[in-house]
C-alpha cells in the first residue's frame, strides 16, 4: 500500500512540476535539506490529509510543492540552453510522460537530488519533457527516454549506470570532483554504514604512497561503486572487521550474505578496477529492468539463470547461493521472476520453454551459446552443471520439437533428428525450412509435396521439412523463409541453397517449378562430380 502511495506521489509530483517553468535559475539555498525527500514523496499524503475544500493555496501541501519546485528547475525551449550555461554543475533528467521507465526513474532521481543536496553538493537539478519540447531536448543532448545527463561547465556526461539513488549519487559525486569519501572517526564510519550501499574501502597511512595514488585513480574511473578511505585502523575495522595488521588494505563491502571481499592483488589501477568489477554483484543477482544492461555487459561471460516465481525460488535460493559461492568471479548467478513476463519471456522463448516450472539455463555471452539443465534442480546437479559450463564440456542446448512417430512422403525433421534424418542419411536430401508465420512458405510446401509424390519411386532422393523457428541444430543455418537446401549424398557438409533467388519463383506453375528444381539438382550433381 505504501509503495502504491509513493508511486502515486511521484506521478502527482511530475504533474505539479510540469506547470512550474517560471524560474530560469534555482535558489537552492532556501531549501530545507532535512525535508526535501519527504516533500518530494509525500505530496499526496498532505493533500489527502487537508481539510475538505482546502486547495493548492492551503498550508502544508502548497509549502511542499513550493519546496519541490524551488529544488528542480523545469526546462523548456526558452530556458534549457541558458540553464546549462548558467549552472557550473547541472544534473538533468530528460523524460517523456508516456515512458514507463521514465516514471520508474522519476522518484529515484528525486531521492538522488535530495541526497546530494543534503551532502552540500552545489549541483543544480533540472528536468525536461523531451516530447513536449523536442527543440530543447535536441539542444541539450536528450536523445532517448529516460536520459540522465550531468553538465560540468557545459561539458555533457551521459549516465549509463543503475537507476538507483545510490548509483546516481555516487556517479555525480565522482564526476564533480569527489571520487573518494574520507572517514576519520568511528561515528562517521558508523553513520556511513547505515546507508547500506556497496563500497570499496582503502586503508592508507597518511593517505600517501603509490598505492593510494592508484586507489584514487581507480575511484575516479569506476562510476558505480563508492570508494571510501581512512588512515585509522580502528575506523577501518568498523567498516571491514576482518582487517588484520596490514599497513595498506583494500576491500569491498556489500549488503548481502557474502558481505566482505578482500583484495589480494597489486595496488594498480587496472587490478583494483578488475577486482571491483568482478565482485560488485551479489552471489545471486535479481534481474530487473534497471540492471539488465549491467548484466548483459558484465565482464563475467558465463551466466547461470534461474527462472521461477518468487514462492518457488524461496525453496531454491539457499541451493543457488551455496553453489554460487564456489564460482565467485567466474560465473554470474542470476534470478529471473517468471511472474515478470517482460523480463522472463524473451529468455524462455530462446529455449522454447513456457516457464511453468522452475528452470535453470546458462549463457556463454562470449560465444552466444546457450545451455539447459535438464536434470532436477538440486545442489549436486547445479554444481555439476556449473562446473561443466566453466570447463567447457557442457553440451550446448538446441531447441527441438518432440521426435515425430510417423514418416510421410515429406519426412518431418526436428532438432533431435537432424543428424539421423539429414546428415547421416545415405540419400540425397531436399530439405524445406519453413516457419508457421511465413506467408510465402505455404505455396512452396504444396509444391514440395507434389514433388515428393512424383518422385516417390526414387530410392536415393528424400524430401524433408523442418520448422526452423522452433528447431535448431549447429549445422543448420537459416536466414530467410522459405529456404530449400539440397544435401548431396556424397557430401553433407556443404548443402546447396536452391532458392537464393526464389522471392518470385514460388509463384510459378508447378511444372515450371519442377523443371527449375531438377535443373538446379542436376547442376549441383554435375559440379560435385567434376570436383
Amino acid at each position: 500500500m505504501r509503495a502504491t502511495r509513493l508511486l502515486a506521489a511521484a506521478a502527482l509530483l511530475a504533474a505539479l512540476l510540469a506547470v512550474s517553468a517560471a524560474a530560469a535559475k534555482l535558489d537552492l539555498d532556501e531549501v530545507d535539506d532535512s525535508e526535501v525527500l519527504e516533500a518530494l514523496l509525500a505530496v499526496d499524503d498532505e493533500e489527502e490529509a487537508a481539510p475538505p475544500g482546502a486547495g493548492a493555496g492551503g498550508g502544508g501541501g502548497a509549502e511542499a510543492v513550493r519546496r519541490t519546485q524551488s529544488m528542480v528547475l523545469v526546462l523548456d525551449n526558452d530556458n534549457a540552453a541558458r540553464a546549462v550555461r548558467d549552472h557550473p554543475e547541472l544534473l538533468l533528467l530528460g523524460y517523456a510522460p508516456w515512458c514507463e521507465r521514465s516514471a520508474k526513474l522519476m522518484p529515484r532521481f528525486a531521492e538522488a537530488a535530495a541526497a546530494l543536496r543534503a551532502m552540500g553538493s552545489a549541483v543544480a537539478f533540472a528536468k525536461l519533457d523531451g516530447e513536449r519540447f523536442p527543440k530543447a531536448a535536441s539542444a541539450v543532448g536528450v536523445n532517448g527516454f529516460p536520459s540522465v545527463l550531468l553538465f560540468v561547465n557545459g561539458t555533457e556526461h551521459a549516465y549509463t549506470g543503475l537507476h538507483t539513488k545510490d548509483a546516481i549519487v555516487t556517479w555525480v559525486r565522482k564526476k564533480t570532483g569527489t571520487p573518494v569519501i574520507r572517514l576519520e572517526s568511528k561515528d562517521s564510519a558508523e553513520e556511513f554504514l547505515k546507508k547500506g550501499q556497496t563500497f570499496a574501502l582503502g586503508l592508507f597511512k597518511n593517505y600517501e604512497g603509490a598505492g593510494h595514488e592508484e586507489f584514487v585513480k581507480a575511484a575516479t574511473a569506476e562510476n558505480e561503486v563508492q570508494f571510501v578511505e581512512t588512515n585509522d585502523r580502528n575506523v577501518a575495522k568498523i567498516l571491514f572487521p576482518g582487517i588484520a595488521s596490514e599497513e595498506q588494505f583494500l576491500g569491498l563491502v556489500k549488503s548481502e550474505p557474502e558481505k566482505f571481499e578482500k583484495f589480494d592483488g597489486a595496488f594498480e589501477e587496472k587490478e583494483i578496477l578488475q577486482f571491483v568489477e568482478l565482485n560488485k554483484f551479489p552471489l545471486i543477482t535479481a534481474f530487473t529492468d534497471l540492471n539488465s544492461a549491467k548484466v548483459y555487459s558484465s565482464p563475467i561471460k558465463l551466466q547461470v539463470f534461474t527462472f521461477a516465481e518468487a514462492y518457488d525460488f524461496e525453496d531454491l535460493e539457499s541451493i543457488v547461493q551455496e553453489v554460487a559461492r564456489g564460482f565467485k568471479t567466474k560465473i554470474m548467478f542470476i534470478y529471473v521472476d517468471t511472474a515478470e513476463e517482460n523480463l522472463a519471456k524473451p529468455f524462455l522463448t530462446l529455449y522454447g520453454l513456457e516457464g511453468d516450472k522452475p528452470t535453470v539455463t546458462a549463457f556463454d555471452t562470449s560465444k552466444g551459446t546457450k545451455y539447459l539443465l535438464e536434470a532436477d534442480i538440486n545442489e549436486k546437479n547445479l554444481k555439476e552443471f556449473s562446473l561443466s559450463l566453466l570447463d567447457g564440456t557442457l553440451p550446448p542446448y538446441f531447441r527441438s520439437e518432440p521426435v515425430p512417430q510417423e514418416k510421410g512422403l515429406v519426412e518431418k525433421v526436428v532438432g533431435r533428428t537432424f543428424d539421423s534424418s539429414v546428415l547421416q542419411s545415405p540419400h540425397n536430401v531436399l530439405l524445406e525450412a519453413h516457419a508457421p508465420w511465413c506467408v510465402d512458405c505455404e505455396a512452396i510446401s504444396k509444391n514440395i509435396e507434389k514433388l515428393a509424390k512424383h518422385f516417390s519411386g526414387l530410392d536415393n532422393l528424400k524430401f524433408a521439412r523442418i520448422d526452423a523457428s522452433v528447431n535448431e541444430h549447429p549445422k543448420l543455418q537459416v536466414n530467410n523463409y522459405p529456404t530449400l537446401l539440397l544435401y548431396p549424398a556424397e557430401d553433407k557438409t556443404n548443402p546447396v541453397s536452391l532458392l537464393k533467388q526464389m522471392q518470385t519463383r514460388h509463384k510459378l506453375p508447378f511444372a515450371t517449378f519442377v523443371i527449375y528444381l531438377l535443373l538446379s539438382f542436376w547442376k549441383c550433381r554435375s559440379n560435385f562430380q567434376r570436383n
Side-chain angles (χ1 to χ4, degrees), residues 392-455:
T393 60
L394 190 65
Y397 174 80
F398 297 97
R399 285 184 299 171
S400 177
E401 293 179 286
V403 176
Q405 298 301 312
E406 298 180 1
K407 296 182 179 179
L409 284 175
V410 179
E411 181 179 330
K412 180 178 180 179
V413 178
V414 298
R416 291 191 179 97
T417 62
F418 189 83
D419 282 326
S420 59
S421 295
V422 178
L423 299 183
Q424 297 169 7
S425 170
H427 305 111
N428 300 291
V429 180
L430 183 62
L431 179 69
E432 173 200 355
H434 71 102
W437 44 261
C438 169
V439 176
D440 295 334
C441 291
E442 185 177 353
I444 286 287
S445 295
K446 289 180 179 178
N447 282 334
I448 291 295
E449 289 168 3
K450 291 179 182 178
L451 267 180
K453 186 175 181 180
H454 274 275
F455 295 101

Side-chain angles (χ1 to χ4, degrees), residues 207-269:
Y207 306 113
E208 293 177 345
H212 180 256
E213 292 177 3
E214 295 296 309
F215 176 80
V216 174
K217 287 181 184 177
T220 304
E222 165 55 53
N223 287 325
E224 295 177 10
V225 175
Q226 181 64 64
F227 279 54
V228 176
E229 66 179 4
T230 185
N231 64 355
D232 187 327
R233 186 175 306 280
N234 293 323
V235 172
K237 282 186 175 182
I238 292 175
L239 302 170
F240 200 112
I243 292 179
S245 58
E246 298 97 331
E247 288 293 322
Q248 184 171 262
F249 174 85
L250 172 61
L252 192 68
V253 182
K254 300 179 284 186
S255 56
E256 59 136 347
E258 292 292 306
K259 189 170 185 178
F260 303 105
E261 300 290 346
K262 181 181 177 181
F263 177 65
D264 293 318
F267 274 75
E268 298 174 358
E269 178 187 357

Side-chain angles (χ1 to χ4, degrees), residues 217-501:
K217 287 181 184 177
T220 304
E222 165 55 53
N223 287 325
E224 295 177 10
V225 175
Q226 181 64 64
F227 279 54
V228 176
E229 66 179 4
T230 185
N231 64 355
D232 187 327
R233 186 175 306 280
N234 293 323
V235 172
K237 282 186 175 182
I238 292 175
L239 302 170
F240 200 112
I243 292 179
S245 58
E246 298 97 331
E247 288 293 322
Q248 184 171 262
F249 174 85
L250 172 61
L252 192 68
V253 182
K254 300 179 284 186
S255 56
E256 59 136 347
E258 292 292 306
K259 189 170 185 178
F260 303 105
E261 300 290 346
K262 181 181 177 181
F263 177 65
D264 293 318
F267 274 75
E268 298 174 358
E269 178 187 357
K270 185 177 179 180
E271 289 206 29
I272 294 172
L273 287 172
Q274 184 180 42
F275 165 74
V276 172
E277 185 67 24
L278 292 176
N279 287 280
K280 65 184 179 183
F281 283 99
L283 279 178
I284 304 174
T285 298
F287 190 76
T288 67
D289 274 332
L290 301 181
N291 67 10
S292 58
K294 291 302 173 186
V295 170
Y296 296 143
S297 62
S298 169
I300 303 177
K301 301 304 181 183
L302 300 178
Q303 301 178 345
V304 171
F305 286 76
T306 301
F307 296 88
E309 293 207 20
Y311 60 85
D312 285 324
F313 189 66
E314 288 179 3
D315 300 328
L316 298 173
E317 186 172 12
S318 60
I319 293 173
V320 179
Q321 275 189 345
E322 186 58 34
V323 174
R325 194 169 282 114
F327 294 93
K328 286 192 300 185
T329 75
K330 298 179 177 66
I331 298 177
M332 177 183 286
F333 287 77
I334 300 154
Y335 163 60
V336 184
D337 185 351
T338 51
E340 301 286 341
E341 285 196 7
N342 61 316
L343 298 176
K345 195 168 183 177
F347 286 101
L348 293 172
T349 300
L350 291 174
Y351 291 83
L353 301 174
E354 295 297 328
D356 52 350
K357 63 179 181 179
T359 303
V360 171
T361 71
F363 287 95
D364 182 341
T365 59
S366 65
K367 299 178 181 178
T369 49
K370 58 184 185 291
Y371 309 87
L372 176 67
L373 175 61
E374 301 190 63
D376 293 337
I377 304 175
N378 56 47
E379 186 174 335
K380 177 178 178 293
N381 290 339
L382 183 57
K383 184 176 181 180
E384 290 177 354
F385 179 79
S386 302
L387 189 60
S388 297
L389 175 67
L390 184 62
D391 63 24
T393 60
L394 190 65
Y397 174 80
F398 297 97
R399 285 184 299 171
S400 177
E401 293 179 286
V403 176
Q405 298 301 312
E406 298 180 1
K407 296 182 179 179
L409 284 175
V410 179
E411 181 179 330
K412 180 178 180 179
V413 178
V414 298
R416 291 191 179 97
T417 62
F418 189 83
D419 282 326
S420 59
S421 295
V422 178
L423 299 183
Q424 297 169 7
S425 170
H427 305 111
N428 300 291
V429 180
L430 183 62
L431 179 69
E432 173 200 355
H434 71 102
W437 44 261
C438 169
V439 176
D440 295 334
C441 291
E442 185 177 353
I444 286 287
S445 295
K446 289 180 179 178
N447 282 334
I448 291 295
E449 289 168 3
K450 291 179 182 178
L451 267 180
K453 186 175 181 180
H454 274 275
F455 295 101
S456 58
L458 291 180
D459 294 335
N460 66 341
L461 179 61
K462 179 197 290 189
F463 291 85
R465 176 181 294 138
I466 186 169
D467 181 348
S469 69
V470 291
N471 293 283
E472 299 173 329
H473 190 278
K475 297 292 180 65
L476 177 65
Q477 301 296 326
V478 177
N479 298 318
N480 299 294
Y481 297 101
T483 290
L484 284 183
L485 297 171
L486 174 65
Y487 291 82
E490 298 87 348
D491 181 13
K492 297 293 178 66
T493 60
N494 295 299
V496 180
S497 176
L498 301 182
L499 292 181
K500 286 184 177 179
Q501 308 296 328

